[in-house]
Amino acid sequence: MAPDEPVSDVMMTDPTRALANEGVHPETRESAVVIVPRVADLLSSLQDLVNEYSGSSANELVSSETWCAKLKAQVSGWAVQVPDSLLLAAVIRRLTGKAKQLVCMASCTTMDSALSTLCNKFPKREFQGVLIDRIKTGQVFRDCTREDIMLRLGMVYDELYMQDAALAEIVRAVRVLFLTLRAYISIRPNMATAEDVSGMLSIIGDKLDADEELHPVLFGEAKPKSAIRPIPSAPAAATVETKIVPDAGPSRSQRRRHRARAKHSELMARLKEFESQAGKQNKDTSDSKGGKAMAVQAGKV
């Protein structure tokens, strides 16, 4: 750009330079024209160095505090050279969804006020609790690829390495993701420390680099054992048959009671038969005695 080119023409033809001139005092515009390319490069570098942040607990891997700290670290070296209004604009460009709506509605005037608003609206403790639950269900690792699985594990570890419960869940998730490397995962989940988990991730990263055939069991393709697998559709009859549990037979006490009842029934049947035979014999005897008596009486007559 020629030194005598009017600033207004630059602002009309180049939005990036127009943004860089925002907030610059009119008396210093000539020097601002020289600084514009440098400021534009610094602001555009945030696009590559800082990921977008939405504030969604269901999708993010870092808390609001972690994201704000990373952004501050990136701009701390050149914050003096860039007007605060431009830093605020750069922050808003890296926000999406609820986070962007919040900052815009809060009418923040500085970068620090915008970052403070984000940290207050999206508390770190609540986000980390949701993140631990997402690790338990495997949702964090769904749709991962071999190339980004270690990056995602590293981000989760950096966010949760201060919590013992989170370290235990990371170890359990790694056991599911890398079934063939269980020999190298000797950490007991409930006793895992930050140093143990960091060393485990380092070993797994080295194994992935050394063996191109090694692939994690991605949650999007093969769910962990604790996950509920969908039941395939089947005919009603077949479904009923699969639910039938084979009868293990009567228990020992039931068999004893059955034998006792059978023996009792057998004895009662014999007793009835004996009583029947005895009654028949008595009847025959009485009939024979009555016949003899009648014969004697007839002879006397």
Side-chain angles (χ1 to χ4, degrees), residues 187-201:
I187 306 174
R188 298 177 62 179
N190 294 332
M191 301 180 65
T193 63
E195 292 76 12
D196 294 336
V197 177
S198 177
M200 175 190 67
L201 296 180

Side-chain angles (χ1 to χ4, degrees), residues 14-79:
D14 193 339
T16 303
R17 296 186 179 184
L19 177 64
N21 280 287
E22 180 182 339
V24 180
H25 194 275
E27 296 180 358
T28 60
R29 285 197 174 183
E30 292 184 1
S31 59
V33 172
V34 180
I35 300 175
V36 162
R38 185 177 179 185
V39 173
D41 292 341
L42 291 174
L43 295 176
S44 63
S45 66
L46 292 179
Q47 306 293 321
D48 301 325
L49 299 176
V50 180
N51 294 328
E52 291 183 343
Y53 180 73
S54 65
S56 173
S57 299
N59 299 318
E60 293 292 343
L61 297 177
V62 297
S63 63
S64 58
E65 290 186 15
T66 302
W67 186 84
C68 292
K70 182 177 180 181
L71 190 142
K72 281 186 176 182
Q74 294 296 333
V75 303
S76 61
W78 43 274

Side-chain angles (χ1 to χ4, degrees), residues 61 131 135 151-162 167 170 193-199 201:
L61 297 177
L131 183 59
I135 296 174
L151 175 61
R152 192 164 298 191
L153 281 169
M155 294 178 66
V156 170
Y157 169 79
D158 291 341
E159 181 64 37
L160 300 171
Y161 72 94
M162 295 292 291
L167 294 175
I170 292 175
T193 63
E195 292 76 12
D196 294 336
V197 177
S198 177
L201 296 180

Side-chain angles (χ1 to χ4, degrees), residues 70-144:
K70 182 177 180 181
L71 190 142
K72 281 186 176 182
Q74 294 296 333
V75 303
S76 61
W78 43 274
V80 177
Q81 306 172 18
V82 181
D84 201 66
S85 58
L86 300 185
L87 291 178
L88 176 60
V91 170
I92 294 177
R93 286 183 175 183
R94 302 312 298 151
L95 297 177
T96 61
K98 296 180 180 179
K100 187 171 185 177
Q101 294 177 1
L102 174 67
V103 172
C104 293
M105 292 178 63
S107 301
C108 299
T109 57
T110 63
M111 180 188 73
D112 290 338
S113 63
L115 299 183
S116 177
T117 301
L118 291 174
C119 294
N120 293 333
K121 181 62 177 180
F122 307 107
K124 181 177 182 179
R125 184 178 297 274
E126 294 181 6
F127 168 79
Q128 289 183 342
V130 176
L131 183 59
I132 293 175
D133 292 337
R134 291 166 58 199
I135 296 174
K136 290 181 181 179
T137 59
Q139 192 271 338
V140 169
F141 307 106
R142 287 194 177 102
D143 301 326
C144 276

